[in-house]
Each structure stands twice: as structure tokens, then as C-alpha cells.
Amino acid sequence: MKKFLIVYGLIGIILVTLLICFSSTELPEINQTLYIQATQLSDRVTEEIWPGYSFKSYPVAIRKGNTDYVFHGDKCIKRKAALPIIAATAYKHEGEINIFMPSKADMDSLGQIAEGLSESQEQFFITGFALDKEGISDNRYVAILFHEGLHAYQLEHFKDNLFNAMPDSSHEHEEVLRLVDTDTTIRNLYARENEAFYDILQLQDKGELKGKISRYLTIREERIHTFRQKYGDGKTDLLKVLENYYEKVEGTARYTEARAARLLGDDDLYREYIQSLQVNMDGNEKYYRSGMAMSLIFDELNPAWKEEVFSKPESMFELLADYGRALDEQ
């Protein structure tokens, strides 16, 4: 718990202070309405987006001020806030995995929310979840609920697979990710990767898929080779581990979020997720987007990909390369 509080204490203080300014003491009814909407959509998400993932099976703790309003089915209880910071995440509380969300009003008011996946108090990987200053739509709030719910599913069924692949958080991680963001050559290669993803997702003729995937794989391999030449094997190997972790854990969750937007019938919101690939981002956000893009491509290449993505040790990139080779053999 000490490490948890030290690492996230500062952001927690900032967010809690802002919430005191923005919050009333009771949870507005819209939060229950959006939770009910998500539970009503839960079975379709299981059938059409992610088999085996049942959003409605997890309690959802919506935080308002220092209180969690915990919804599960048709029940709601109030308790003291379980986390020391405001976060959108999945976390085991008193032996039961909970989905944690800020209230809709607080997400509208704050420009950034802590977000991520929690396995234990000593290992809590969260990053800034950027939100539009104008606030978020009801549909996006519901889509984010499904994003965080997928983290609960990951935590329940694939904890060892996912967390064992991630080294302990350290300054070395920050250094490697900082190099990625500050090296102009590497940034430009990332931008080219995103362009390749965007082109793939715009394809009308699936016959062009093979060549477009090959282009993406070539650019990414060039970027890794360039990074290795400039910064050595150790930093490159760590970067590949970090990329795999965030693409596999957060990218699949962002994919679920985007697909949920489409399930809600909000095509404009879905297009926003795809168009986000055209914006070069710093920090871990870039991996949310690249992991989302690969997940959407996997839908075209192998409808059964979700059966193996969390259980197999291969990275998302390696799986895409495997699928690309399978196309070559056809």
C-alpha cells in the first residue's frame, strides 16, 4: 500500500481537490441510468464483441466525492471510497473484482482521469486518461464502462499471463518511454505506423489487406531496428515488453470501447476512435491506439483471435506478423 500511495499520491491529491470543487454530495441519477444501459447491452457485448466477457457480472463502483456507489444488478450500496485516488480501473476489493469509475459529472469536469488495470496495491499501472474539455457524451461514458469491464475480465481470468509479462515499475520504464517521445526519428516512424493502420482500417477492398499489413510490419520493424541501433539491446528489449503489455492490456480494452460505441449506434463516436490514429500522442496512449487498431484488423483476419490473445505469450505485433504470413501462404 505504501508504494501505491507514494506513486499515485500526488495525482490523487490533485484529483480529489478538483472533485471537492466540482462535486455535490449525492450521485446524480444519470449515473444509474448509464449503468443500467450498460447492463442491458452486456449480453450483446458478450455475443458480438468479446465472448466470455460479461460486464454485468461485476460490481461497478461509481465514485462521487469520498463515496463509492456500488451497483450490481438491481442493487446499490454506499461505502467509503475504496481507492486513494480517483480512477477508472478494475481492482480487487475485499476479495471481489470491482469496476471503478468516476461519476459522469466528474468526468465532464476533469481534463484527465487516472486509468488502468490493478492487480494488487503494489502493482497498479495507471496513466492519464485524457478527456475532452467539453466533457464526454453519455455513449462514451457507457463505452468506457465496457473498457474498464474488460480489465475486470482480464484480471479474473488472465492475471498471471498478463502481469508476469510486466517488470516492476521503475525509472527505467519512464526513461525508455521518454526516449520514444523525444527522439524525432522514432516519433516520425510511429507516425508512419499510425498512417499505415489508418489506411488499413479505411480499406474497402479486402484484397489489398495483405500489402497494407506488410507495409505496417516493415515500418514497425524499421522503428525497432532504429531504436536498437541508437539505444542498445537492453532498452530495446524493455521497450518491446512495455509495448506488448500496453497494446495487449489497454489496446484490447480500447478496442472493446470502440466496438461498444458502434453497438450503441453512435457511428460518429466510432469514427473518432479510428481518426485518433491520425494524431501522434505521447506516453502510453499511443499503445492504446495501436493495440486497438491491431484488434480491429484481427477481426478481419481471424474471428477466433480472442480465444488466444491473452493466453499466448506472443505480442500483438507477433500475432499480426503470424496472420500476415498466413495471408502470404493463401
Side-chain angles (χ1 to χ4, degrees), residues 42-53:
S42 178
D43 288 343
R44 288 189 63 195
V45 169
T46 304
E47 294 168 6
E48 301 179 38
I49 299 179
W50 206 289
Y53 160 41

Side-chain angles (χ1 to χ4, degrees), residues 314-330:
E314 287 87 353
S315 68
M316 298 276 282
F317 173 67
E318 289 168 334
L319 289 174
L320 182 59
D322 288 344
Y323 294 152
R325 282 190 287 271
L327 282 177
D328 289 338
E329 295 170 0
Q330 291 179 1

Side-chain angles (χ1 to χ4, degrees), residues 6 66 121 143 169 182 186 188 198 208 223 225 251 261 275 284 288 291 301:
I6 290 173
N66 290 319
Q121 292 173 342
S169 183
T182 56
I186 301 299
N188 288 339
Y198 186 76
E208 299 179 34
R223 192 251 303 164
H225 176 72
Q275 289 167 356
N284 301 332
Y288 287 50
L301 298 176

